[in-house]
Amino acid sequence: AQRVTQPEKLLSVFKGAPVELKCNYSYSGSPELFWYVQYSRQRLQLLLRHISRESIKGFTADLNKGETSFHLKKPFAQEEDSAMYYCALRSSNYGGATNKLIFGTGTLLAVQP
Amino acid sequence: DTEVTQTPKHLVMGMTNKKSLKCEQHMGHRAMYWYKQKAKKPPELMFVYSYEKLSINESVPSRFSPECPNSSLLNLHLHALQPEDSALYLCASSQDRRFGGNTEAFFGQGTRLTVV
């Protein structure tokens, strides 16, 4: 079965501190992994996808197939990073073109001044 | 235009009412989704449409009835809902995964539904 685990419900850090939001997944095939962010009163939006290996707003995430992890990292947290972060996996077991996007339970990042 | 637009933003309905939620996108996406999100919980997939055909139904009760009249529109018809159905209903769209490339899902702002 496909599953995404985010062990921390809340992560509180001070401004300027490093941040790591953990994500582990369970999937038998070749996963497509994403990080989505939901700022207060805003729509859910894509932050990163593993296939593009990019850095957005200072965040990076590396897919580690050996550890089945896709942790989100940022070296220096900013107050505006405070939001709910969801790790998501797109599975392909349905065989069709449109695949189920499964979300983890989310981690609320609170960056204190 | 990279937006998914949902109407209405807020809806209050009685348990005997019939109402519809609407979703529209003009990005040429051929996959459209309905998600339900309760407070402080992740989005939970309800339905997926692919090329205007229902491809995934996550065992959703029949009081929720989706419809995809064309490639840009997605509706969710509601009838005889229960108070526990109160939630934020999110619509999303994406490219068809078969063509590779960017399969990012774009989300609407959601409809905040309250069933009284």
Side-chain angles (χ1 to χ4, degrees):
Chain A
Q2 295 77 46
R3 192 166 58 245
V4 179
T5 304
Q6 293 181 252
E8 302 138 328
K9 282 189 177 174
L10 171 66
L11 182 64
S12 184
V13 301
F14 287 104
K15 177 182 169 182
V19 168
E20 184 179 44
L21 301 175
K22 291 186 167 39
C23 172
N24 287 90
Y25 66 91
S26 170
Y27 182 59
S28 55
S30 183
E32 197 176 354
L33 284 152
F34 306 86
W35 276 99
Y36 280 83
V37 60
Q38 195 167 31
Y39 299 102
S40 179
R41 296 192 182 86
Q42 292 189 29
R43 69 183 68 201
L44 196 59
Q45 56 188 282
L46 180 73
L47 181 64
L48 287 175
R49 49 183 172 266
H50 88 270
I51 55 172
S52 55
R53 301 180 64 82
E54 58 202 339
S55 172
I56 303 290
K57 298 184 180 181
F59 284 97
T60 58
D62 289 318
L63 178 61
N64 185 325
K65 291 188 178 180
E67 295 182 1
T68 59
S69 69
F70 188 56
H71 302 327
L72 182 68
K73 298 177 184 178
K74 184 169 182 176
F76 308 104
Q78 303 298 314
E79 288 179 69
E80 55 266 30
D81 296 329
S82 297
M84 180 67 85
Y85 290 81
Y86 292 103
C87 183
L89 178 149
R90 185 184 292 280
S91 71
S92 59
N93 276 11
Y94 290 87
T98 51
N99 310 119
K100 183 175 176 179
L101 187 63
I102 303 165
F103 285 88
T105 48
T107 297
L108 181 63
L109 174 64
V111 181
Q112 311 295 334
Chain B
D1 182 3
T2 57
E3 272 219 351
V4 175
T5 305
Q6 289 186 245
T7 55
K9 288 190 167 48
H10 301 275
L11 179 63
V12 179
M13 62 184 289
M15 288 189 281
T16 57
N17 290 162
K18 280 186 182 180
K19 296 285 185 185
S20 296
L21 308 185
K22 296 186 185 305
C23 174
E24 191 168 1
Q25 57 89 13
H26 296 287
M27 293 178 276
H29 291 166
R30 302 311 294 272
M32 295 186 77
Y33 312 77
W34 280 114
Y35 283 85
K36 174 182 177 179
Q37 188 176 26
K38 298 281 252 183
K40 299 184 181 175
K41 296 288 185 186
E44 193 180 317
L45 184 68
M46 300 174 74
F47 303 104
V48 180
Y49 271 83
S50 172
Y51 288 85
E52 296 91 73
K53 287 186 170 35
L54 184 64
S55 61
I56 297 175
N57 177 340
E58 290 288 284
S59 304
V60 179
S62 59
R63 57 186 185 268
F64 294 92
S65 175
E67 180 198 17
C68 191
N70 62 53
S71 60
S72 300
L73 295 174
L74 185 67
N75 298 322
L76 185 63
H77 303 298
L78 313 172
H79 174 54
L81 294 195
Q82 304 296 310
E84 59 264 29
D85 296 321
S86 299
L88 182 68
Y89 288 84
L90 297 171
C91 175
S93 71
S94 74
Q95 290 283 18
D96 183 325
R97 193 184 183 195
R98 284 179 297 184
F99 298 109
N102 183 356
T103 59
E104 169 188 354
F106 289 80
F107 284 82
Q109 285 272 31
T111 294
R112 175 95 35 211
L113 174 69
T114 304
V115 182
V116 297

